[in-house]
Amino acid sequence: MPESLRLLLLTLACTLVVLWTWQRFHHRSFWLVAGYPLTALSVRASWRKVALGCGLTKKRARWAFTLTPGALISTGNVKVRRRFRRVAVDTTPWMWLPLPTRHGWRVTLHLLEGQIPDDYSQAAERLAHSWGVHAVRVSSPRPGRVVLAATIRDPLVRVDRLPPSDELLKVTVGRLETGKPWVIDFRTVPHWLNAGATQSGKSNLANALLVGLAPQPVALVGFDLKGGVEFTPYGCRLSALATTRAESVGLLDDLVALMLDRMGLCRTVGARNLWQLPPAVRPVPIVVLVDELAELYLMADKSEKDEIAKTSTALLRVGQLGRAFGIYLFCCGQRIGSDLGPGVTALRAQCSGRICHRVNDPETATMTLGDLDPAALVSARAIAAETPGVAIVASQDGQWYRARSFHVSETAAEHAARMYADLAPSWAEITAGVHASEVTESDLTELLNA
């Protein structure tokens, strides 16, 4: 082998090793310096073919020179003439230069006449396959524009450790597909509905939420209709825990009476909600964790009908009125369907925060996400069993995202509960005096109109 060829091959091999090492250990700088420029040029150059293949072009009339056949000449050939006339051509939407993001790139497009953002949402999967990326998300920042955000690889394959929560009632529980933190902020979105099958990550998310709330000055209340096997290990940090439907009825009565008492306090001070009260007299906020929501509504025989109706009404009142008086809901369940009764549907309407893990039946996904965005429903049904913790989240910005919660073991959650057990306020102290006056129908009517 000639010495020059050997030197060339050695240089090429060293270059490949350096590039692989750079990409492996510092992907962000490699992407910005080497990956993004080539990708931007490739996307820009292939846009016309991609748009045509995905059905995103429009026919427009243009003046152009065309070749038209004329009469036969003596040699037997056809005489061709050039004519200037209007012809129909495929026009592609105008594309700006792609801009780099943490996990890919995004580009702004100008819509053609008659197009809407949903046209691009329906073609998102075809766009992803055409460009060879993991996923393409579509958004519309203003009329006449759409933004395509491409993710080159799945950012949810690996997530970092659970960071500490610095703000009250705000917990970072995982990562979104955009690379941003997945935050559950009860001050912004007061009530959440969390659906998921066994081993889908639903309980892990509840553990992450408990670990984040444990060091905060809040009262945690649990409803565990699985006999208490889920929340009993965290009992030292819980102010109250109901493990049967009878206990749930009594605990919900306490919550309704507590709302009435706090309403009277706000009315006396002239405040519209708990957070307008002076800090010296402001009651402790309460986060209610409900596990196996369906067990509160299932009826074995007619003797349970009144008890279920009372439970359903009280829980719905907490959902309707709790936000103003510092009471927040986080409801979890494997099965959430309309067959459980109108109470579940009414409660769902109060839960603006939606989380859907992998589910066993399409109705649960429809019940959780169906009234938000059909595309979110399709994405939820595509969650694989090999990716526990991955969920579709209706975020507080009005959009939905794929997200994955940090892994928090039961041991870690129990350790956090024991460590901050002294921060758990006594339920007897919280509810002291709230039952001094009986709750009347007029009081409940005032509550509902508050």
Side-chain angles (χ1 to χ4, degrees):
M1 180 182 295
E3 187 65 25
S4 58
L5 181 59
R6 182 181 303 174
L7 181 61
L8 178 62
L9 293 177
L10 181 61
T11 303
L12 181 61
C14 292
T15 303
L16 293 176
V17 170
V18 170
L19 291 176
W20 181 88
T21 306
W22 186 10
Q23 181 186 21
R24 178 69 175 80
F25 293 99
H26 206 283
H27 177 76
R28 185 179 301 180
S29 62
F30 174 83
W31 162 244
L32 292 176
V33 175
Y36 160 69
L38 296 177
T39 301
L41 293 176
S42 174
V43 169
R44 193 68 178 81
S46 64
W47 171 233
R48 179 174 178 79
K49 292 182 179 179
V50 171
L52 186 62
C54 295
L56 298 175
T57 60
K58 290 287 185 179
K59 292 288 186 180
R60 284 181 176 175
R62 292 285 187 269
W63 287 98
F65 281 103
T66 60
L67 299 177
T68 57
L72 288 172
I73 57 180
S74 58
T75 59
N77 296 326
V78 178
K79 185 177 181 181
V80 178
R81 296 186 303 170
R82 295 177 61 87
R83 292 182 56 188
F84 190 66
R85 62 177 182 174
R86 292 176 66 86
V87 295
V89 298
D90 289 304
T91 304
T92 58
W94 172 257
M95 171 184 281
W96 292 91
L97 186 67
L99 299 177
T101 61
R102 183 176 181 180
H103 295 286
W105 46 267
R106 61 181 175 85
V107 65
T108 301
L109 302 176
H110 290 209
L111 295 179
L112 297 176
E113 63 277 3
Q115 288 186 338
I116 59 175
D118 187 60
D119 297 333
Y120 292 80
S121 298
Q122 294 179 5
E125 187 174 359
R126 293 192 292 270
L127 290 171
H129 284 283
S130 299
W131 282 319
V133 296
H134 172 70
V136 173
R137 291 291 305 275
V138 180
S139 60
S140 179
R142 61 192 181 96
R145 303 288 188 274
V146 294
V147 175
L148 305 182
T151 305
I152 294 181
R153 59 181 184 178
D154 191 357
L156 304 181
V157 172
R158 180 182 177 184
V159 292
D160 302 325
R161 292 184 177 182
L162 180 67
S165 301
D166 299 327
E167 298 184 41
L168 183 64
L169 294 170
K170 190 174 183 179
V171 180
T172 301
V173 295
R175 294 289 176 188
L176 301 176
E177 62 181 345
T178 59
K180 296 182 179 179
W182 174 14
V183 177
I184 292 181
D185 186 358
F186 288 101
R187 294 284 299 275
T188 304
V189 182
H191 305 311
W192 291 79
L193 189 63
N194 176 28
T198 303
Q199 301 296 323
S200 65
K202 170 174 56 67
S203 298
N204 179 80
L205 177 59
N207 291 342
L209 188 64
L210 186 139
V211 170
L213 292 174
Q216 300 186 21
V218 300
L220 302 178
V221 175
F223 288 81
D224 186 359
L225 275 296
K226 290 169 65 175
V229 297
E230 290 289 342
F231 290 158
T232 296
Y234 316 140
C236 56
R237 182 59 182 88
L238 300 178
S239 297
L241 176 62
T243 59
T244 64
R245 187 178 290 155
E247 293 178 358
S248 300
V249 171
L251 189 52
L252 286 170
D253 286 342
D254 288 344
L255 289 171
V256 172
L258 191 62
M259 287 192 301
L260 182 64
D261 182 73
R262 293 184 174 187
M263 183 191 68
L265 176 62
C266 291
R267 183 171 53 220
T268 301
V269 179
R272 291 181 176 271
N273 56 62
L274 183 81
W275 303 105
Q276 293 182 359
L277 294 173
V281 299
R282 182 185 300 156
V284 61
I286 301 172
V287 177
V288 180
L289 306 174
V290 182
D291 191 42
E292 297 304 337
L293 180 66
E295 288 295 325
L296 291 174
Y297 296 90
L298 289 176
M299 180 171 56
D301 52 60
K302 291 184 178 180
S303 62
E304 298 180 343
K305 183 176 181 180
D306 293 339
E307 189 177 53
I308 291 175
K310 189 174 182 179
T311 302
S312 175
T313 302
L315 187 60
L316 179 58
R317 280 173 174 157
V318 173
Q320 287 178 323
L321 309 168
R323 179 200 62 81
F325 306 114
I327 302 177
Y328 309 99
L329 291 177
F330 190 81
C331 302
C332 306
Q334 296 184 36
R335 173 80 174 87
I336 302 174
S338 57
D339 59 309
L340 297 176
V344 174
T345 305
L347 180 64
R348 181 193 68 162
Q350 301 299 324
C351 297
S352 52
R354 308 287 181 81
I355 304 169
C356 185
H357 294 81
R358 177 182 55 84
V359 293
N360 293 326
D361 62 302
E363 186 177 357
T364 299
T366 303
M367 191 73 171
T368 308
L369 301 171
D371 58 342
L372 298 178
D373 191 336
L377 190 62
V378 174
S379 185
R381 293 177 181 176
I383 297 176
E386 295 78 15
T387 56
V390 174
I392 304 301
V393 183
S395 185
Q396 56 200 38
D397 61 359
Q399 307 238 352
W400 65 270
Y401 300 93
R402 287 178 71 250
R404 191 170 191 175
S405 57
F406 299 118
H407 175 67
V408 179
S409 64
E410 288 82 359
T411 303
E414 292 175 20
H415 175 72
R418 289 192 300 268
M419 179 179 295
Y420 300 103
D422 57 319
L423 297 180
S426 169
W427 189 245
E429 295 178 359
I430 294 175
T431 59
V434 299
H435 291 285
S437 59
E438 187 179 353
V439 181
T440 64
E441 287 298 326
S442 61
D443 292 329
L444 291 176
T445 302
E446 187 176 0
L447 267 173
L448 290 173
N449 295 327

